[in-house]
């Protein structure tokens, strides 16, 4: 008999950590970020070990669901992959990097499936590689785990309506391209476009200027998301909860506080909850040594059912 009934789940594998840290990615990305979150959640007894699900890695065939065969061939060459990720040197025999992305994408697939089956929030401690396009990787995103996860989800459960709420500081340009001709998926993104050109549009882009604060950001969100939810009526929400709109982020130029970030996250969750729609949450971006705390606080708040900043 099961006495323990989880309210939400975490998806994590130790493989998330191993593949990347040894390579020293050239960015301010804290490669230990997700392990820190997992450790803090266990240490503070916010998460029970039974609430941590271990994914299986995604396969090359999974990548082919959304990426071109020519591009997937390129990903099989570690040195070409290293170039996409701006790494200084990668051995031709080194498969660690693509394996990292296979594990995290497997986590995204598992998060969507579990959220839908159990109708509870499921957090992948990673994922949200929204810049990867069908035939090209960019911005540290070689594969689009969001699109792959949605395709796998729709293969298993039928062509359900999926809403991607992308609140990473950067635009979800790759995801937008993946679904531009597909009415079963609605892409929504709030961002500051700091790319030279905007090469794709999501179904609803909310663009905000530099130095946007809690008030401006939350106003943008609250003025648009409920309407999207009402008209599209998603059967699954995929929330990319990027930490880079925070004022301390080392890449972003927004000025959201800890409180504003948490209010943003809880607003998305409550909109879905009101409509009885399950949510799979992906980490998205978030840079600097303190960034892990944002996703940690969000998970803590959902797991405990109360929030404190
Ligand atoms: Zn970002």
């Amino acid at each position: 008999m099961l006495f323990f009934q989880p309210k939400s789940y975490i998806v994590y594998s130790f493989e998330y950590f191993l593949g990347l840290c040894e390579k020293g990615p050239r960015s301010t990305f804290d490669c230990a970020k997700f392990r820190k979150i997992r450790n803090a959640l266990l240490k503070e007894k916010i998460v029970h070990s039974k609430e941590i699900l271990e994914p299986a890695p995604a396969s090359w065939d999974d990548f082919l669901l959304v990426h071109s065969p020519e591009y997937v061939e390129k990903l099989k060459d570690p040195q070409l992959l290293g170039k996409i990720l701006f790494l200084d040197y990668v051995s031709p025999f080194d498969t660690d990097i693509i394996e990292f992305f296979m594990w995290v994408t497997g986590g995204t697939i598992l998060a969507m499936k579990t959220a839908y089956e159990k109708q509870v929030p499921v957090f992948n401690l990673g994922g949200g590689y929204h810049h990867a396009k069908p035939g090209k990787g960019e911005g540290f995103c070689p594969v689009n785990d969001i699109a792959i996860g949605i395709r796998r989800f729709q293969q298993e459960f039928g062509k359900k309506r999926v809403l991607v709420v992308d609140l990473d500081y950067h635009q979800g340009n790759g995801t937008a391209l993946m679904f531009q001709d597909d009415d079963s998926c609605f892409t929504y993104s709030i961002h500051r476009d700091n790319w030279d050109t905007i090469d794709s549009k999501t179904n609803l882009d909310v663009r905000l200027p530099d130095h946007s604060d809690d008030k401006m950001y939350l106003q943008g969100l609250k003025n648009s998301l409920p309407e999207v939810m009402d008209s599209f009526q998603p059967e699954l929400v995929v929330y990319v909860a990027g930490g880079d709109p925070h004022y301390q982020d080392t890449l972003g130029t927004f000025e959201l506080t800890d409180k504003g970030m948490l209010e943003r996250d809880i607003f998305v969750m409550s909109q879905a909850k009101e409509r009885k729609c399950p949510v799979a949450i992906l980490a998205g971006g978030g840079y600097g040594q303190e960034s892990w705390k944002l996703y940690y606080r969000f998970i803590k708040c959902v797991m405990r059912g109360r929030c404190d900043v």
Side-chain angles (χ1 to χ4, degrees):
M1 191 171 170
L2 188 66
F3 291 99
F4 182 78
Q5 199 69 47
K7 286 196 197 76
S8 44
Y9 289 92
I10 303 298
V11 176
Y12 179 79
S13 163
F14 282 107
E15 301 287 344
Y16 284 16
F17 177 72
L18 292 173
L20 215 56
C21 270
E22 290 160 7
K23 303 291 168 282
R26 200 202 294 175
S27 75
T28 58
F29 183 74
D30 171 13
C31 65
K33 175 173 172 177
F34 303 115
R35 190 157 91 160
K36 284 181 191 168
I37 297 174
R38 175 237 176 229
N39 290 349
L41 289 169
L42 282 172
K43 190 170 165 233
E44 301 295 322
K45 295 192 171 34
I46 292 155
V47 169
H48 192 283
S49 59
K50 284 180 186 166
E51 291 165 307
I52 301 182
L53 307 176
E54 170 108 10
S59 65
W60 293 109
D61 281 345
D62 290 327
F63 291 173
L64 285 167
L65 290 171
V66 304
H67 294 290
S68 68
E70 298 76 26
Y71 178 61
V72 171
E73 272 310 302
K74 283 188 191 171
L75 293 174
K76 289 180 181 169
D77 177 349
Q79 286 183 315
L80 277 175
L81 178 64
K83 278 187 192 153
I84 295 171
L85 295 173
F86 307 106
L87 300 178
D88 289 329
Y89 173 74
V90 178
S91 144
F93 307 105
D94 192 343
T95 57
D96 279 6
I97 304 168
I98 198 64
E99 281 168 9
F100 166 83
F101 285 100
M102 285 175 158
W103 282 98
V104 178
T105 301
T108 295
I109 294 168
L110 181 62
M112 291 185 195
K113 179 184 154 82
T114 311
Y116 186 76
E117 275 180 344
K118 298 190 183 298
Q119 299 283 308
V120 292
V122 182
F123 294 86
N124 189 14
L125 294 189
Y129 303 115
H130 58 174
H131 298 312
K133 299 171 179 174
K136 189 173 176 248
E138 59 184 44
F140 202 65
C141 302
V143 292
N144 195 311
D145 64 305
I146 308 166
I148 295 165
I150 291 171
R151 287 296 178 229
R152 278 285 305 268
F153 168 71
Q154 290 180 327
Q155 275 184 344
E156 193 164 339
F157 297 97
K159 206 129 191 179
K160 303 287 176 198
R161 288 182 305 280
V162 182
L163 168 64
V164 179
V165 177
D166 189 336
L167 299 190
D168 189 279
Y169 168 79
H170 304 94
Q171 189 208 26
N173 59 336
T175 320
L177 270 182
M178 297 276 186
F179 295 107
Q180 63 182 351
D181 299 317
D182 184 342
D183 290 343
S184 72
C185 183
F186 191 103
T187 53
Y188 168 96
S189 176
I190 301 185
H191 49 266
R192 164 76 172 98
D193 269 306
N194 56 350
W195 307 101
D196 291 336
T197 53
I198 305 167
D199 55 6
S200 58
K201 284 189 185 331
T202 67
N203 293 115
L204 186 65
D205 278 316
V206 179
R207 299 184 68 191
L208 293 174
D210 285 336
H211 311 296
S212 288
D213 57 12
D214 291 352
K215 197 170 165 226
M216 289 165 77
Y217 193 98
L218 292 167
Q219 210 165 41
L221 175 67
K222 290 176 182 179
N223 283 345
S224 54
L225 185 63
E227 214 175 297
V228 169
M229 302 270 291
D230 285 340
S231 58
F232 183 66
Q233 300 194 349
E235 292 161 284
L236 175 70
V237 167
V238 177
Y239 176 30
V240 182
D244 39 10
H246 188 256
Y247 77 102
Q248 278 178 320
D249 192 88
T250 52
L251 292 184
T253 60
F254 287 171
E255 293 174 359
L256 271 76
T257 64
D258 290 353
K259 192 167 172 285
M261 290 294 287
L262 198 55
E263 196 176 332
R264 172 197 80 158
D265 295 336
I266 298 308
F267 183 77
V268 175
M269 298 305 286
S270 60
Q271 287 297 304
K273 197 175 177 185
E274 270 176 30
R275 294 163 179 82
K276 298 188 171 48
C277 181
V279 189
I281 305 107
L282 310 176
Y287 305 92
Q289 292 299 311
E290 299 296 308
S291 179
W292 70 274
K293 291 178 185 166
L294 296 164
Y295 203 39
Y296 164 74
R297 273 197 290 263
F298 173 26
I299 296 171
K300 185 167 103 169
C301 173
V302 172
M303 297 294 253
R304 282 197 168 158
R306 68 184 156 80
C307 308
D308 34 54
V309 180

